[in-house]
Amino acid sequence: MEMFLQKNKQFWISGCRAFMTENINFITYPEMLEQLETTNLENHLLLGNGFNLSLGIKTGYKDIFQQMKINNSDYKSVMGENFDLENFIGECKKQISSQNNPHYEFMTKFYHNKIKLDFMNAVTQIVSKEIKNIYQEKNEKIYLLLKNFNNFFTLNYDPFLYQFLMSLK
């Protein structure tokens, strides 16, 4: 983890590199925990891509699409190797004919929303299954770190982190 203390506010970064014009004084993990526990400042944590992977949780698009195929075998015949959700939705919507179709708008919106719902259900299934697989020891160590922060920010949509944080509260 890369962490730094800047001015009077504490900003902590995990899993990504910071590009700043100011000098950054890096500290060790134990020093960071000590500072977090002994200050009354409001602490914020920015998590980059990789939080899930560091715990062995795979919530990438490829993994989510694979779960969608498990949940609904009809996806097997239409999903290729491009794991871009918006692209996939767009390709599916192109298959709906607008000619002589009074329900075209409804159908395109329906398919758009149905695919997103299936995507979110797959994510939820992966996260629910994997959160149980984190060893208690890891949970406690992560809790020791996360309990010291008031706000959490991510660089990407991270359903596992959200569910994990709710389970710690």
Side-chain angles (χ1 to χ4, degrees):
M1 291 187 176
E2 297 178 28
M3 295 140 207
F4 65 91
L5 183 62
Q6 178 192 19
K7 298 184 182 174
N8 289 333
K9 292 184 179 179
Q10 292 187 3
F11 298 90
W12 306 96
I13 297 180
S14 168
C16 62
R17 295 193 183 278
F19 296 98
M20 302 180 68
T21 56
E22 299 178 29
N23 289 335
I24 298 173
N25 298 320
F26 288 96
I27 60 175
T28 65
Y29 182 74
E31 290 172 331
M32 181 198 64
L33 286 178
E34 183 181 328
Q35 286 184 21
L36 285 170
E37 291 172 0
T38 59
T39 65
N40 290 327
L41 295 175
E42 191 169 300
N43 298 307
H44 313 286
L45 180 64
L46 172 63
L47 294 163
N49 298 339
F51 178 77
N52 296 358
L53 287 177
S54 70
L55 296 173
I57 311 299
K58 296 180 180 175
T59 53
Y61 279 111
K62 182 177 181 179
D63 304 295
I64 296 166
F65 275 46
Q66 293 303 324
Q67 184 64 48
M68 287 172 69
K69 290 177 186 179
I70 292 168
N71 294 348
N72 183 342
S73 61
D74 292 335
Y75 280 120
K76 291 178 184 176
S77 64
V78 294
M79 282 185 177
E81 291 300 312
N82 181 356
F83 302 109
D84 180 327
L85 178 64
E86 294 301 326
N87 183 288
F88 176 68
I89 291 172
E91 290 299 316
C92 289
K93 288 167 56 175
K94 284 180 188 177
Q95 303 305 312
I96 302 169
S97 175
S98 61
Q99 294 180 351
N100 299 322
N101 185 351
H103 307 292
Y104 174 76
E105 282 188 42
F106 169 79
M107 291 176 72
T108 55
K109 287 179 183 176
F110 177 82
Y111 278 102
H112 184 102
N113 291 331
K114 172 67 170 124
I115 293 168
K116 281 191 171 181
L117 178 63
D118 289 348
F119 182 87
M120 293 307 301
N121 285 335
V123 169
T124 301
Q125 286 176 322
I126 292 169
V127 168
S128 296
K129 179 176 62 175
E130 295 295 336
I131 201 164
K132 297 173 188 172
N133 294 331
I134 296 180
Y135 299 115
Q136 185 63 31
E137 182 181 332
K138 274 189 178 178
N139 264 342
E140 290 172 2
K141 288 180 180 178
I142 292 169
Y143 177 73
L144 289 175
L145 170 66
L146 298 181
K147 73 176 184 164
N148 294 296
F149 292 95
N150 306 87
N151 296 300
F152 301 90
F153 303 94
T154 61
L155 297 176
N156 58 329
Y157 174 68
D158 194 336
F160 174 78
L161 178 62
Y162 300 142
Q163 189 164 345
F164 186 70
L165 290 172
M166 289 188 337
S167 73
L168 294 177
K169 295 289 178 185

